[in-house]
Amino acid sequence: MLNDKIAIITGGTRGIGLETVRAFAKNGAKTILFGSRQETVDKAIAKLQEEGLEVDGYCPNLNNYSEIEQTIAEILKKYGRIDILVNNAGMSADKPIENTPPEEIDKVIDLNLRAVLYLTKAVVPAMKQQKSGVILNTSSMVSIYGQPAGVAYPATKFAINGLTKSLARELAPAGIRVNAVAPGVTNTDMVAALPPEMIEPLVNTIPLGRIGEPADIANAFLFLASDLASYITGTILQVDGAARA
Ligand code: NAD
């Protein structure tokens, strides 16, 4: 589905990101994962290599624009183009607002929103030159319904939806599609880190009767990245088993 496409996936060392790296590589993309540390990047590359998948990896600081720019320049030098960017790296929040340290609010906004804008800004010139490209963002079920604590997290995901719809309109004339996937509760470390009293009531609301698996979300990214979605832009694709938070 993605033969010879050059794809970057942030937060590609575990969870939804790693599964998306796997799906893209299996479907013929030259896949480049970004992680927060060289050690975890190397570990993920080695794991995929054991499965017979060759992928590349980098770990720029996603809140340092010049580091991102430098990494994108290196990738362009090596691969000649960038066809797909999946902005997947993200972190959650769960405290009531009055107990949330301001630094924690900053961290969530920096990773879930600022980094997405920085990365997008850095890849768009190459995509415009190519007259084609796909940018995929990771929203969340909570961007539709909100969440009863950790408000910085849904705030960033509502912003991701707005960013996705706006950029889709801005970049469509340049042949660049922009979409988001909004996962429901998905079986990753992020969910394992949340208190059970927050997860259990959510699971009980899922008509499909289970939480999502990383592959459920990776398959949605794969579809939206591929030419099968060539007339889809500005959409927020809910992949949540019809859950209602
Ligand atoms: P995860 O915690 O398993 O993985 C997060 C990824 O982000 C990791 O690869 C990690 O290396 C990367 N990351 C974390 N901090 C970073 C930093 N400072 N700089 C660079 N990279 C960093 O999470 P996941 O569940 O796989 O989540 C992936 C995305 O899916 C996130 O954007 C998340 O908000 C979204 N999401 C997850 C769920 C869920 O239930 N798991 C639901 C809705 C949306």
Side-chain angles (χ1 to χ4, degrees):
M1 282 170 81
L2 301 180
N3 258 353
D4 296 326
K5 300 278 191 201
I6 312 298
I8 297 173
I9 299 166
T10 70
T13 58
R14 61 172 199 252
I16 290 168
L18 177 63
E19 199 56 39
T20 305
V21 170
R22 191 176 272 125
F24 279 28
K26 277 187 184 167
N27 278 273
K30 294 201 168 77
T31 311
I32 301 151
L33 65 86
F34 282 11
S36 48
R37 286 182 297 128
Q38 191 63 48
E39 190 192 338
T40 52
V41 166
D42 291 345
K43 218 170 124 188
I45 292 175
K47 187 174 177 168
L48 292 163
Q49 210 160 28
E50 276 171 25
E51 299 171 20
L53 299 170
E54 288 299 328
V55 307
D56 204 351
Y58 294 84
C59 54
N61 176 349
L62 298 186
N63 286 131
N64 181 327
Y65 186 70
S66 56
E67 255 187 57
I68 291 176
E69 214 176 17
Q70 209 179 321
T71 306
I72 296 300
E74 266 179 56
I75 290 170
L76 284 169
K77 197 166 163 208
K78 189 165 171 188
Y79 294 94
R81 52 188 294 126
I82 295 169
D83 298 296
I84 303 159
L85 168 66
V86 182
N87 285 305
N88 162 78
M91 62 190 292
S92 63
D94 58 12
K95 294 189 185 78
I97 188 156
E98 70 274 23
N99 298 345
T100 309
E103 310 78 55
E104 208 169 298
I105 294 175
D106 291 348
K107 266 193 185 170
V108 172
I109 293 174
D110 283 350
L111 183 62
N112 295 8
L113 182 57
R114 192 189 310 281
V116 174
L117 288 162
Y118 280 5
L119 278 150
T120 302
K121 175 176 161 58
V123 301
V124 159
M127 288 184 173
K128 277 195 168 174
Q129 214 169 28
Q130 297 160 195
K131 297 188 171 53
S132 72
V134 178
I135 297 169
L136 299 176
N137 297 322
T138 311
S139 181
S140 166
M141 169 173 90
V142 304
S143 78
I144 318 288
Y145 308 107
Q147 132 183 327
V151 66
Y153 181 73
T156 58
K157 297 302 186 180
F158 273 86
I160 286 297
N161 293 1
L163 178 164
T164 300
K165 285 170 191 270
S166 300
L167 264 181
R169 298 181 68 181
E170 179 179 330
L171 299 177
I176 302 168
R177 295 190 293 107
V178 188
N179 290 296
V181 172
V185 186
T186 309
N187 191 11
T188 68
D189 291 355
M190 178 178 276
V191 164
L194 293 174
E197 61 272 20
M198 202 159 161
I199 298 305
E200 276 159 27
L202 287 178
V203 175
N204 293 337
T205 66
I206 303 172
L208 280 182
R210 64 171 176 87
I211 65 170
E213 291 301 322
D216 294 317
I217 314 305
N219 286 335
F221 279 129
L222 178 61
F223 164 67
L224 288 172
S226 78
D227 290 343
L228 290 177
S230 58
Y231 198 55
I232 300 176
T233 196
T235 198
I236 316 298
L237 178 58
Q238 288 176 244
V239 183
D240 58 13
R244 295 288 173 271

